[in-house]
Amino acid sequence: MADMVARTLRITAPPDDVDSVHQALESVWAVVPDLEPRDRMSIETAVIELTANVIQYANRGRAVSFALTIVVYDDRVEATLSDSGEVDDVGLHSRGMPDAMAESGRGIPMIQALVDSVEHRRVEGFNHWTLVRAREAARDSVTPARGMPSVSISGVIDEMSRQRALEELGILDTPPEERFDRVTRLATQLFGVSGSAINLIDRDRQWSKSMVGSFPSEVPRSQSACAITIETDQTLIVPDLSQWEGHEHIGIPGEFEFYAGHPLYAPGGERIGSFCVFDASPRHFSEREVAMLRDLASWVQQELSVSQELSRAAEVQQGLLPQQLLSMPGWDIAGMCLPARAVGGDFYDWYPVGEGAAFTLADTMGKGIGSAIIAATVRAVLRSAARFGDVTGAVDAAAAALTGDLDSTGVFVTLFHARLDMDTGEVTYVDAGHGLTFIAKQSGEVRRLRSTAPPLGIDIETEWVAQTESLEAGDALVSVSDGVLDLYAGVEEALESVTSIVMLAESAEEIVDAMRARARGVAPDDVTVLVVRRDAA
Amino acid sequence: MDLVSIQHPGGITEVSLDGRLNMVTAARVREAIHEAIVANSPNVAVDLSRTSFLDSSGLGALVWGFKAAREAGGDLRLVSPTEQVKLVLDLTNMNSTLRSFDSLDEAYPRG
């Protein structure tokens, strides 16, 4: 294939409108000076008519986003527009020109007259429009290429999978993190430049996860040098941005005159952004510096993978919480676990045992991955031990099994473990240093259950003693982790709040929801709640 | 788009459009033509020598203006359209309705 120039533009209307498309097209025409004026006018007019139609009709007048790709070959020009509009038929049927006095209805016939082929396909919720016009110079010798797939459509599909990979990473618009900031800080010192950034290319913007330098954390994609970097796997070095052919508008005299960037990848290999350094004046970048930049980029890459693995770990941990509701007529059970980080050391659990159920709420010292691993172990050990004995037997067996692990990691675990007889309402429990379980009576009286033993991992000689309580109609047993206390001024205030929540709520789920609303966004520690409520008579 | 209306002797209003006449600017053009007809006379000349782009919405505005001028007993004529505007007029067979002239004097000869 001969020479080819391709550009993809991203438009969201509003705020963009057809004038944004005109401006974008001008930047395309600027790099293909040999394109005949007639071809340029025809494809521009056709693209504008199509764009106007999509803006007006594709999303029934609501905002619509689309990608427009223009490819100029030596024998033809192709324009592909992909929009996310819900309307799958904008009416590209041949209708002919309307009457001379008509004030509308000429757009579609004009498109058909201006280009050699018009195609529409709907794929997975997207409309793909392709316009092809044979260039004047080649008009006599070449039949315009028709049909799919063309280079332009594959470019658009690449962009979509890229976007999806970026979103799955779950990093966009998250707060700054030291593990990324240290790399950009180090880079500015290492290279002696005015700035460094970790930039991700999201739809029509560049968003910076980390930034040293005086630029906003969000800029239009059209102004982004990193958006050019992600077009290939190569390190992009622009010693003098004012001399960057075709991208002269990206540099800012006196502020942004040098750029070097290396692509960053999603786990699936999609180029999602770039690690870059930049300076206020033009400069040389040596081979050695290129190698260092790549090393730093692979460091950032590792940190990005950790983000991805953490969010996987979070999914796994949430999966360990009981998914099934217990079928216990006359009883209502609910729970929640909000880790302060991606994963946490708290968990709750329940499962049927005999004529009732077993309940656990545990809090492993610390936060994050280490405590999550211990928490998963505690859950598994307790579950298997519960099959063979009563409450004390289960806790005893679990404590014995865990002793080695807890000793060697220096971690301890507070635990509330209970058995409920669903017929009598009798609750037998062991409280290992937890002390954050309450029984709220329907009358408004609330009682905190006494801790019966020290936490697991403190003293292997502990003798586990069970206590018994009774839940009557309308009573609720509420067990929480100490993260809940952080939401209040103290234990007394927490107790009061929990009491009023229990009195006002009509189900266990409502109690949990009220606590969740309180904790969301403000909890510094893992917040876990377990509620067992006996239906009111 | 910049839009300038000039009233010439002989009751002709010249409306000059500098920029793009498309769905973004069509309404303003309609207003300007309406105002010319109401305030001055129904003879309107639309100067398209600096109109870089015309699309079907913009063309709709010109058709609307043409009908309004005719109804008021006047006319709407185009002056020095650019290549792209000519292309659109040609494609849509609007040449015979919206007639183009090289200058204002040719559009509305004095005398």
Side-chain angles (χ1 to χ4, degrees):
Chain A
M1 182 175 299
D3 292 346
M4 182 192 96
V5 172
R7 285 279 182 284
T8 298
L9 328 154
R10 266 151 226 91
I11 311 271
T12 300
D16 296 330
D17 55 29
V18 288
D19 281 338
S20 320
V21 179
H22 278 294
Q23 282 155 23
L25 288 173
E26 266 162 30
S27 72
V28 177
W29 308 145
V31 293
V32 279
D34 67 324
L35 184 64
E36 301 79 353
R38 176 95 188 172
D39 293 328
R40 197 187 60 222
M41 279 190 300
S42 299
I43 201 86
E44 179 153 353
T45 309
V47 165
I48 292 294
E49 292 294 342
L50 177 60
T51 308
N53 253 283
V54 166
I55 291 174
Q56 282 181 290
Y57 304 116
N59 234 356
R60 306 182 203 279
R62 282 180 279 116
V64 63
S65 295
F66 52 92
L68 175 64
T69 304
I70 305 285
V71 190
V72 182
Y73 297 91
D74 61 355
D75 64 343
R76 66 189 191 278
V77 183
E78 283 187 17
T80 308
L81 189 155
S82 299
D83 71 75
S84 56
E86 56 184 49
V87 176
D88 60 2
D89 182 10
V90 196
L92 272 192
H93 313 297
S94 186
R95 288 177 297 198
M97 280 300 163
D99 175 74
M101 289 302 125
E103 286 166 37
S104 59
R106 292 189 182 84
I108 301 287
M110 273 170 65
I111 296 174
Q112 287 162 338
L114 287 161
V115 298
D116 294 291
S117 88
V118 180
E119 286 192 15
H120 169 250
R121 290 192 312 164
R122 188 162 175 91
V123 183
E124 291 176 7
F126 285 86
N127 292 309
H128 301 290
W129 312 90
T130 305
L131 311 180
V132 182
R133 178 180 165 89
R135 290 176 64 167
E136 293 282 309
R139 201 148 268 275
D140 298 330
S141 54
V142 179
T143 313
R146 282 164 201 259
M148 304 283 177
S150 67
V151 171
S152 46
I153 196 98
S154 66
V156 168
I157 288 167
D158 281 355
E159 171 65 15
M160 285 170 187
S161 57
R162 201 191 68 73
Q163 182 68 35
R164 193 167 303 152
L166 175 60
E167 282 165 11
E168 278 173 7
L169 215 50
I171 192 172
L172 286 170
D173 300 308
T174 53
E177 288 175 67
E178 177 57 24
R179 61 198 180 100
F180 290 111
D181 291 345
R182 61 203 285 204
V183 188
T184 47
R185 259 198 329 261
L186 179 65
T188 47
Q189 289 163 9
L190 216 53
F191 296 103
V193 289
S194 64
S196 170
I198 296 167
N199 291 330
L200 302 173
I201 306 301
D202 172 35
R203 296 184 194 279
D204 53 359
R205 64 167 180 158
Q206 165 186 294
W207 178 78
S208 305
K209 174 64 189 173
S210 176
M211 159 80 72
V212 177
S214 54
F215 292 105
S217 66
E218 196 173 320
V219 298
R221 184 169 176 165
S222 55
Q223 296 297 315
S224 154
C226 288
I228 311 294
T229 302
I230 68 160
E231 287 177 10
T232 74
D233 290 322
Q234 310 298 313
T235 307
L236 175 64
I237 295 151
V238 188
D240 183 350
L241 285 163
S242 70
Q243 304 297 314
W244 195 9
E245 212 183 318
H247 305 290
E248 294 84 355
H249 65 285
I250 288 180
I252 305 169
E255 289 182 44
F256 185 51
E257 297 200 32
F258 162 80
Y259 171 90
H262 190 78
L264 297 171
Y265 300 85
E270 300 87 355
R271 290 184 291 263
I272 51 166
S274 154
F275 171 71
C276 69
V277 294
F278 46 87
D279 204 15
S281 45
R283 61 165 281 175
H284 172 71
F285 210 58
S286 70
E287 277 303 314
R288 204 179 128 258
E289 287 176 308
V290 174
M292 283 192 325
L293 183 78
R294 284 192 195 133
D295 280 350
L296 289 177
S298 66
W299 179 4
V300 174
Q301 191 67 55
Q302 292 231 322
E303 294 295 344
L304 283 173
S305 318
V306 170
S307 302
Q308 172 87 355
E309 280 161 20
L310 261 182
S311 69
R312 291 259 162 78
E315 277 172 32
V316 170
Q317 195 177 37
Q318 287 294 320
L320 291 179
L321 297 173
Q323 309 295 316
Q324 302 282 317
L325 293 176
L326 286 174
S327 166
M328 296 206 306
W331 294 88
D332 188 14
I333 291 122
M336 71 149 180
C337 184
L338 287 181
R341 302 192 191 150
V343 292
D346 284 10
F347 75 91
Y348 66 87
D349 199 10
W350 62 58
Y351 35 88
V353 174
E355 290 305 300
F359 298 93
T360 309
L361 188 141
D363 184 350
T364 308
M365 188 183 80
K367 296 188 271 286
I369 298 182
S371 18
I373 293 169
I374 299 292
T377 311
V378 173
R379 173 186 173 275
V381 167
L382 207 54
R383 270 205 167 206
S384 61
R387 308 264 172 230
F388 306 108
D390 55 8
V391 210
T392 44
V395 175
D396 200 29
L402 285 165
T403 299
D405 294 347
L406 295 180
D407 264 2
S408 59
T409 51
V411 166
F412 60 85
V413 178
T414 68
L415 175 80
F416 173 79
H417 180 67
R419 289 268 174 94
L420 168 73
D421 183 318
M422 61 182 273
D423 296 327
T424 63
E426 194 179 83
V427 179
T428 311
Y429 70 91
V430 167
D431 188 306
H434 191 64
L436 290 173
T437 303
F438 312 92
I439 290 180
K441 312 289 276 182
Q442 202 184 21
S443 59
E445 177 200 341
V446 65
R447 210 150 39 79
R448 185 170 169 187
L449 301 188
R450 247 176 359 103
S451 192
T452 56
L456 274 64
I458 294 280
D459 177 8
I460 48 169
E461 301 299 319
T462 304
E463 196 175 319
W464 309 96
V465 182
Q467 299 286 321
T468 300
E469 291 282 341
S470 183
L471 292 177
E472 282 151 31
D475 291 354
L477 179 145
V478 181
S479 189
V480 302
S481 66
D482 61 0
V484 170
L485 296 185
D486 296 339
L487 307 175
Y488 300 92
V491 180
E492 291 311 311
E493 194 191 308
L495 210 61
E496 266 175 42
S497 169
V498 170
T499 311
S500 55
I501 287 173
V502 168
M503 280 180 71
L504 290 170
E506 298 204 330
S507 69
E509 193 65 45
E510 269 184 43
I511 298 170
V512 167
D513 284 345
M515 311 277 286
R516 192 196 316 270
R518 173 108 197 181
R520 184 137 284 181
V522 299
D525 194 0
D526 304 337
V527 170
T528 303
V529 178
L530 171 70
V531 177
V532 179
R533 187 173 177 273
R534 189 168 193 178
D535 293 349
Chain B
M1 184 197 63
D2 289 326
L3 192 154
V4 180
S5 288
I6 303 167
Q7 298 184 4
H8 289 282
I12 293 156
T13 306
E14 183 183 23
V15 179
S16 303
L17 309 176
D18 189 344
R20 301 184 192 105
L21 175 42
N22 55 22
M23 67 187 283
V24 180
T25 53
R28 272 174 60 208
V29 172
R30 246 200 307 241
E31 262 171 54
I33 295 172
H34 174 73
E35 213 163 285
I37 295 170
V38 172
N40 193 19
S41 92
N43 286 320
V44 181
V46 181
D47 178 1
L48 298 170
S49 60
R50 292 148 85 81
T51 306
S52 56
F53 191 86
L54 175 72
D55 74 356
S56 61
S57 322
L59 184 59
L62 294 178
V63 172
W64 180 90
F66 173 80
K67 291 197 289 189
R70 281 291 175 96
E71 271 168 36
D75 203 359
L76 182 142
R77 296 172 189 173
L78 309 181
V79 176
S80 343
T82 54
E83 286 301 310
Q84 194 272 344
V85 174
K86 280 189 206 161
L87 171 72
V88 170
L89 293 171
D90 194 30
L91 275 180
T92 54
N93 306 315
M94 289 302 289
N95 281 326
S96 52
T97 311
L98 294 170
R99 289 191 297 145
S100 299
F101 300 87
D102 289 340
S103 67
L104 179 65
D105 284 343
E106 282 176 45
Y108 291 101
R110 288 168 217 203

